[in-house]
Amino acid sequence: LLKYGLDKAAQEFGWLVDAHLMPMPRVWEARAAVETGGVHAMMDLSDGLGRDLPKLSKASGVGACVYADKLPISADLRTAAEVLGMDPIDLAAGGGEDFELLMAVAPEEVIKVIRAVKETGTSVTEIGEIVEGAVEIAYADGRRGPLRGGWEHFR
């Protein structure tokens, strides 16, 4: 949006712009997940995964490992990243204002929570696990590093 302006960005990346300007709160999905009894913690990703997961982890006294190859990255986001000269993983981890849900679920409860949320018509992606230590991102080539990105309101 900043690089191209609203009209050109909407023409090039229509649904990405719509998702940014008109996010859909995941109220029904959150309710369905909570009703399973399997959710230990949950928040929306309004500030982006790279900013919100560390908040959730710090509040819970745990670390987390996100698997880069499991992040849901649409073909449109990959195209936008290419046009902008950016890494699609960085965009997926740093994007926000979309109200997607981040949930911490015990491994034995994951399938139950996924099924419950899918009944609302929304898909769920398991992107990582809770670990001891820091919040990291693990890449398919074996590299690991800090999870970065997201929106900082008070800079």
Side-chain angles (χ1 to χ4, degrees):
L1 285 170
L2 293 174
K3 184 172 183 174
Y4 294 108
L6 178 59
D7 292 336
K8 182 164 169 79
Q11 182 180 14
E12 295 289 323
F13 313 110
W15 85 265
L16 293 174
V17 172
D18 289 345
H20 178 74
L21 295 177
M22 296 178 290
M24 298 296 293
R26 301 295 188 181
V27 176
W28 299 113
E29 295 86 345
R31 285 183 177 176
V34 168
E35 287 174 2
T36 68
V39 177
H40 293 273
M42 181 179 355
M43 66 188 300
D44 72 47
L45 293 176
S46 57
D47 292 338
L49 180 65
R51 180 77 52 197
D52 287 329
L53 178 54
K55 290 177 195 172
L56 184 115
S57 295
K58 182 178 180 181
S60 301
V62 298
C65 181
V66 172
Y67 300 108
D69 60 341
K70 291 190 174 189
L71 290 173
I73 300 175
S74 68
D76 288 342
L77 183 60
R78 289 187 190 282
T79 300
E82 186 176 328
V83 168
L84 295 170
M86 298 178 75
D87 183 336
I89 294 170
D90 290 343
L91 285 176
E97 296 189 7
D98 56 13
F99 298 132
E100 294 300 333
L101 296 174
L102 175 65
M103 294 181 263
V105 178
E108 64 274 10
E109 302 288 339
V110 169
I111 298 300
K112 180 169 61 171
V113 172
I114 288 173
R115 285 183 182 148
V117 174
K118 280 186 176 181
E119 287 181 17
T120 70
T122 299
S123 63
V124 178
T125 306
E126 187 177 351
I127 62 167
E129 61 185 319
I130 300 298
V131 298
E132 291 183 20
V135 175
E136 293 185 313
I137 187 165
Y139 296 91
D141 64 6
R143 288 179 299 126
R144 285 180 174 251
L147 182 64
R148 294 197 172 108
W151 176 254
E152 176 65 43
H153 294 273
F154 304 106
R155 291 185 200 193

